[in-house]
Amino acid sequence: MSHLDAAPPNTHAGGNDDALETKGANPMVAPYHSGDVTDERIDMTAYENSVPRWKRIYQNSFTQMVLLSIQAFCGPAMADAIAGLGGGGLATPQTSNIAVAINYAMLALVCLCGGPIVNKLGTKWALVIGAMSFPIRGSSYYVNSKFGVQWYLILGGFFTGIGSGAWYVAESGSIMSLAPSGSRGKYLAFWIVARNLGQLVGGAINLSKNHKKGAVGGVSPDTYVAFLIIECMALPFAFLISPLDRVVRSDGTRILMSEKLSTKQEFKRIRFTMTSKLIVLSALWAIWSFFYSGTWSTYLGTYFSVRARALSSLISPFFCIVGCFGLGFILDMKNMSQRRRAQIGLFTVVILNLGVYIWSIVMQVRFNEHKPGKIDWDDSLYAKSFLPYFFVQTTGPLSQSYMYWLLSSFATDAQSNVRNGAAFRCLEAVGQAISYGMNTQIKTSPLIGFCVTFGLMGAALYPMLVLVNQTPDRIPADVIAEEQEAAEGKGVGRTVVDADTKGA
């Protein structure tokens, strides 16, 4: 960790602990003091005797992850389901690609400044703002499909990008902070699965409304009404989110919080975070990780019938659920060091994506030679032309889940997780904006998009190898806490040992 300036100052990983403290002190907490540092741990017996059961359940880290996942189900998952229709389900993908490109451009801008914004607002209110913007997407697609009003679709992309940016930054910081050290892979898998369950529901809606053979053009406008209703449901769950300083993890630990900084200081941290080795080395990976979405949306809209596109949005998430829990199992294995798990996880993700990209490029070359027309699900060509799309809906999310796990291996408090998550999400959004913008100009063949995506993965691999090979064998916060306790010669409360790294 000493080789990476990954975490900002005032965090354990940053090496300046003078301001580090745990907010929201609780009489049931047994604090450990080392100089000006307070590392608080819950006395679980006293906590259970003094705090009502409903409140313990509400403040539990898994409950908070469930509330976040429900919002992901209602918001980003519905957006993914619309994207899964190919070109947003519209008759031609170009207008949708323009709107989505604008959406991600604004999302990238908000994410760039998102760390300071979310750390000042708090995760709860950033999530509320984001949840309020979700219904704009469904309503804009409905208005465009029903009345042909394209300006609202594009304007909606602008405002949804702003709201979603705030939501994504708060979400990324939360999902990297909530999980107990030995369960980060499983927590991230649960979050990804919730998003894919949302796509399953969205896919069922798509298919129920657009299952008739021979339909041409865009999907039924009623499809978007169902999405709009689900998107509206995210807001009440955003209000239920607990501030991170009140959350108690399932293993009895609390989330470390640095002292609050001024707005000027927070914005100064943007430069520090964006130029840290952690973000610089992962930048190309971040740009690549979602780059595939624009090209695959165009591919689906160009070559598949309405009902085949509807079916794709239903069945595409199935394998992702299995894959994400499989990766989570690898990343949480207790008989290997954290670095070794990071290396195995990286090669797993890369090899799976490599196979999908080779397959997709081969299929697209064949399509360029022999135009297939609109492929329906009962055509002989359907299986081999659809399966690359089916698998990329698993390998793509795996790359994102893996990266959030890796980021959380370096940062040690909620604020630095927010900053690092915001920086990574900003770069992801830049990649998505470029991808969809590029595909607005691709009228006949997504081959260029496939090749660019493949090339980006190759370019991202070496910096990621450098980063992964410098992954600490244990989470730095746990090591430092143990060293401080040993130096003081006392261990008040619970000593937290990283269950991830036993046997490292």
Side-chain angles (χ1 to χ4, degrees):
M1 182 62 194
S2 60
H3 302 295
L4 289 177
D5 52 335
N10 293 338
T11 71
H12 282 141
N16 179 7
D17 296 329
D18 292 342
L20 190 62
E21 61 181 9
T22 306
K23 306 297 182 183
N26 188 301
M28 276 68 72
V29 171
Y32 163 69
H33 297 282
S34 177
D36 294 329
V37 180
T38 302
D39 186 12
E40 294 181 315
R41 297 171 175 83
I42 296 295
D43 181 338
M44 293 304 291
T45 302
Y47 180 66
E48 291 172 2
N49 291 335
S50 304
V51 178
R53 182 178 178 83
W54 70 266
K55 193 170 186 179
R56 297 200 308 271
I57 295 173
Y58 169 63
Q59 292 180 339
N60 186 272
S61 58
F62 186 72
T63 301
Q64 293 299 309
M65 182 62 85
V66 169
L67 292 175
L68 275 173
S69 298
I70 291 173
Q71 293 173 62
F73 174 97
C74 296
M78 293 302 106
D80 290 344
I82 292 175
L85 288 169
L90 302 179
T92 58
Q94 273 66 43
T95 302
S96 176
N97 284 341
I98 292 170
V100 176
I102 292 172
N103 175 273
Y104 284 120
M106 294 309 303
L107 195 150
L109 181 62
V110 172
C111 286
L112 179 62
C113 305
I117 293 171
V118 172
N119 282 337
K120 298 300 287 186
L121 285 176
T123 56
K124 176 177 180 175
W125 294 109
L127 291 169
V128 168
I129 291 171
M132 291 172 65
S133 73
F134 291 157
I136 297 175
R137 185 187 302 272
S139 64
S140 65
Y141 274 95
Y142 172 79
V143 169
N144 182 273
S145 178
K146 183 77 172 179
F147 306 108
V149 181
Q150 295 188 351
W151 66 263
Y152 179 45
L153 182 66
I154 295 172
L155 186 65
F158 176 85
F159 285 111
T160 303
I162 294 174
S164 296
W167 191 89
Y168 275 120
V169 173
E171 180 208 34
S172 63
S174 296
I175 62 175
M176 290 192 291
S177 301
L178 286 171
S181 60
S183 303
R184 288 177 297 146
K186 297 181 184 68
Y187 268 57
L188 287 167
F190 181 85
W191 162 65
I192 289 287
V193 165
R195 290 191 61 166
N196 280 274
L197 287 175
Q199 287 183 259
L200 287 176
V201 172
I205 294 169
N206 292 339
L207 191 58
S208 68
K209 298 289 185 180
N210 306 281
H211 62 276
K212 293 182 179 179
K213 185 177 177 64
V216 295
V219 303
S220 164
D222 292 344
T223 305
Y224 302 114
V225 174
F227 289 143
L228 176 59
I229 293 171
I230 296 175
E231 287 170 336
C232 290
M233 294 169 60
L235 185 58
F237 289 100
F239 279 109
L240 291 175
I241 290 294
S242 172
L244 290 177
D245 54 15
R246 300 179 187 175
V247 173
V248 179
R249 294 194 183 101
S250 302
D251 63 357
T253 60
R254 304 189 75 183
I255 298 171
L256 291 176
M257 307 287 289
S258 296
E259 68 174 2
K260 286 189 177 294
L261 303 176
S262 68
T263 302
K264 183 177 180 180
Q265 289 173 316
E266 281 283 1
F267 274 97
K268 283 183 177 179
R269 293 290 169 82
I270 293 177
R271 181 184 61 82
F272 182 93
T273 302
M274 295 300 294
T275 57
S276 68
K277 289 183 180 179
L278 179 64
I279 299 303
V280 170
L281 290 175
S282 62
L284 284 176
W285 183 279
I287 292 172
W288 162 74
S289 66
F290 259 129
F291 200 89
Y292 69 90
S293 57
T295 300
W296 277 107
S297 179
T298 301
Y299 174 83
L300 206 63
T302 302
Y303 295 116
F304 291 83
S305 68
V306 170
R307 71 170 188 167
R309 289 151 65 184
L311 178 63
S312 75
S313 63
L314 172 63
I315 64 177
S316 295
F318 274 105
F319 193 61
C320 182
I321 295 173
V322 177
C324 286
F325 272 112
L327 181 63
F329 175 79
I330 293 172
L331 297 178
D332 285 341
M333 291 179 68
K334 296 179 174 59
N335 60 343
M336 288 188 291
S337 70
Q338 185 167 256
R339 182 177 301 169
R340 180 62 65 193
R341 284 176 279 141
Q343 292 166 342
I344 293 174
L346 176 66
F347 284 110
T348 300
V349 171
V350 169
I351 290 171
L352 291 175
N353 275 285
L354 181 65
V356 171
Y357 290 145
I358 292 173
W359 191 346
S360 61
I361 289 172
V362 168
M363 288 303 304
Q364 187 58 55
V365 169
R366 292 179 180 176
F367 285 173
N368 287 352
E369 293 175 352
H370 305 285
K371 300 298 183 184
K374 291 291 185 179
I375 302 170
D376 202 5
W377 70 44
D378 56 1
D379 293 342
S380 60
L381 189 59
Y382 176 75
K384 60 183 178 182
S385 60
F386 172 72
L387 281 176
Y389 178 87
F390 175 79
F391 287 122
V392 84
Q393 297 306 306
T394 297
T395 60
L398 284 181
S399 67
Q400 296 132 31
S401 179
Y402 169 77
M403 193 61 218
Y404 282 119
W405 179 89
L406 188 64
L407 287 174
S408 69
S409 300
F410 291 96
T412 60
D413 65 39
Q415 287 95 328
S416 61
N417 273 333
V418 168
R419 296 183 192 106
N420 291 335
F424 185 76
R425 189 64 185 122
C426 171
L427 293 168
E428 277 186 337
V430 168
Q432 288 171 292
I434 294 172
S435 177
Y436 279 97
M438 181 179 67
N439 280 278
T440 64
Q441 303 303 315
I442 297 175
K443 307 292 185 182
T444 57
S445 171
L447 181 60
I448 295 173
F450 288 142
C451 292
V452 171
T453 307
F454 194 9
L456 273 174
M457 185 183 74
L461 184 57
Y462 177 73
M464 280 295 289
L465 280 171
V466 174
L467 176 61
V468 165
N469 287 334
Q470 296 185 52
T471 304
D473 284 333
R474 299 185 57 199
I475 299 174
D478 295 334
V479 176
I480 293 172
E482 291 175 14
E483 289 174 351
Q484 290 171 338
E485 290 187 11
E488 291 290 329
K490 59 182 180 180
V492 183
R494 292 184 53 181
T495 300
V496 181
V497 179
D498 181 7
D500 266 346
T501 55
K502 291 181 180 178

